[in-house]
Amino acid sequence: MRIDVVSIFPEYLAPLELSLIGKARQDGLLQLNVHDLRSFTTDRHRTVDDTPYGGGAGMVMKPEPWAKALEEIVGARAGEGGAAKPILIVPSPAGERFTQSIAHELAEEEQLVFACGRYEGIDERVIEWASEHFTVRPMSLGDYVLNGGEVAVLAMVEAIGRLLPGVVGNPESLVEESHSDGLLEYPVYTKPSSWREREVPAVLLSGNHGKIAQWRRHEQFRRTAERRPDLLADFDASTLTRADREVFAELGYDVVDGRLERRVLDGDA
Ligand code: JBE
């Protein structure tokens, strides 16, 4: 996969030289290029922003440096012949929510381009114009405000990069993790079995693999109900065992038409 990132703070992307993603780059599994938006300006002050038409606080990123940067990135592909439009991801709190399922989808692409704007944003005409050369996807990490897209790009590139073939040493570790089945991960423990008067749950020392798998599954149910009940609305409950249903019943959920339904408690109405 090839990834291009455009930013006025290219140094912000330095962590992508470390750890798993840095190794993937060294191994040639990921070709990652960071471009400084200011190098596409033509004025003495290397200006990338200006005041907003219509008034209001903050500054807006000027269109021309963005067009030059994106054209250079597209131009670098000229002659590669018939390749599909690359995806242009624009991190923004006004974007579509980035999820594990989108990470999987994007990991299948040949090329991704990330445009880091400051949070007041990029002149909207750039987004319109870019759709001639790219499939444009405004993306948000979550409902909070960052100062710019760089931190969001770090998160998205890590989430996507680790899904590329060969990046994570043991691909099994990709299968069982949080969100892959719509539930939060179960708690984990390691040695010593007794630590500061706290014991590892006995079932994990039992050697009974069926019991361990069931306990872990039920811990996933409990955690998800406690911390992320919103995830349970999409959970496929049609294949739950009787024991699974009993755990959900204790947590206040009944299975109705293959879906979990929160029981209305007395006094909630
Ligand atoms: O999540 N994001 O992609 C953002 C980008 C820029 C500013 N705030 C965000 N949350």
Side-chain angles (χ1 to χ4, degrees), residues 23-86:
K23 177 82 174 13
R25 291 171 75 178
Q26 283 177 6
D27 294 348
L29 302 171
L30 175 64
Q31 191 196 330
L32 194 137
N33 316 291
V34 181
H35 310 263
D36 184 352
L37 181 69
R38 284 192 204 279
S39 68
F40 299 93
T41 57
T42 48
D43 65 312
R44 206 160 54 84
H45 296 105
R46 313 226 291 164
T47 311
V48 293
D49 59 359
D50 207 333
T51 54
Y53 277 118
M59 301 289 272
V60 174
M61 295 193 107
K62 294 166 70 61
E64 190 55 21
W66 278 109
K68 288 216 168 73
L70 296 174
E71 272 168 347
E72 179 172 291
I73 290 167
V74 170
R77 296 169 69 249
E80 276 176 36
K85 276 189 194 176

Side-chain angles (χ1 to χ4, degrees), residues 91-93 119 139-142 144-146 148 152:
S92 159
Y119 119 83
M139 283 280 158
S140 170
L141 284 195
Y144 38 81
V145 178
L146 304 169

Side-chain angles (χ1 to χ4, degrees), residues 156-221:
M156 290 189 271
V157 169
E158 183 160 318
I160 295 161
R162 63 195 294 286
L163 299 177
L164 300 176
V167 173
V168 168
N170 177 7
E172 292 242 341
S173 61
L174 297 177
V175 177
E176 272 193 27
E177 58 197 6
S178 258
H179 297 292
S180 57
D181 58 359
L183 296 172
L184 301 186
E185 193 50 286
Y186 52 76
V188 295
Y189 303 85
T190 187
K191 291 171 275 296
S193 66
S194 179
W195 175 75
R196 300 196 180 193
E197 263 121 75
R198 291 164 193 278
E199 307 303 318
V200 168
V203 61
L204 297 178
L205 309 175
S206 70
N208 183 333
H209 298 294
K211 269 243 163 85
I212 291 170
Q214 188 188 58
W215 179 84
R216 285 177 164 169
R217 190 88 183 135
H218 291 172
E219 287 300 302
Q220 288 191 276
F221 298 163

